[in-house]
Amino acid sequence: DTADAASYFLLQPVDSEVDGIHLFRDPLAASQDAACPSVAATGVGSTSSQLVAWLRERPGLVVSSPRIAMVGGLRGVAVDIGIVAGWTASCPFANGAPTVPLITAPGGYHWVVVGNERLRLYLLDLPAGGTVAVDIDAFDGTGINGLIAVAEPIVRSFLFAP
């Protein structure tokens, strides 16, 4: 399955409505307000290194050490993300499940990490400015290794036009 918009693109396995590869154009750090609004956090830069530094400081998230990454001719960083054990804060729309707001993107996209969800996030800098996020996302985090095994060759096949 696919979804395509100017600032968002989705590739999903045919057997899942929640797992997949999500691409976001110009992602911004999401507000950490308890109401979980679809707005950007203030004072956070938008380069790959600025976004990863911000993510690594988020209470509630477990974020791996950043790794230099190249995808589709773009350079940036990759991190693996999940929710820390025992986290209880929840967005109003999450029915009490632990959540941490992650990013927002043009077009009204608001991305949060929920429950045991796990993801591999590539944040890639565009030569003329801006960022692309590539998210390999397993809503049931127990499936992340299998999803990465299938999704990584697809991600490595991407080529971004200048």
Side-chain angles (χ1 to χ4, degrees):
D1 195 12
T2 64
D4 188 8
S7 60
Y8 176 73
F9 183 72
L10 166 65
L11 294 170
Q12 277 183 308
V14 294
D15 61 349
S16 176
E17 293 184 14
V18 291
D19 293 344
I21 303 168
H22 307 263
L23 287 88
F24 298 92
R25 176 71 161 93
D26 292 325
L28 299 170
S31 167
Q32 299 298 294
D33 183 278
C36 299
S38 299
V39 298
T42 58
V44 181
S46 60
T47 67
S48 63
S49 59
Q50 291 167 326
L51 289 168
V52 166
W54 177 83
L55 286 169
R56 291 179 51 85
E57 295 173 355
R58 289 310 86 211
L61 290 182
V62 176
V63 181
S64 69
S65 295
R67 302 173 304 281
I68 298 298
M70 290 286 295
V71 174
L74 301 178
R75 183 180 171 94
V77 293
V79 289
D80 295 329
I81 299 173
I83 292 183
V84 69
W87 185 254
T88 59
S90 181
C91 289
F93 52 79
N95 298 319
T99 54
V100 177
L102 201 61
I103 59 172
T104 64
Y109 294 99
H110 185 218
W111 213 245
V112 299
V113 182
V114 180
N116 76 336
E117 181 178 8
R118 299 288 181 267
L119 53 108
R120 175 161 293 166
L121 184 65
Y122 293 90
L123 293 163
L124 308 165
D125 296 309
L126 296 166
T131 313
V132 172
V134 179
D135 170 18
I136 299 173
D137 199 301
F139 191 73
D140 176 355
T142 61
I144 190 66
N145 292 333
L147 181 60
I148 286 173
V150 171
E152 282 285 345
I154 296 167
V155 170
R156 284 194 301 271
S157 76
F158 290 166
L159 181 59
F160 295 101

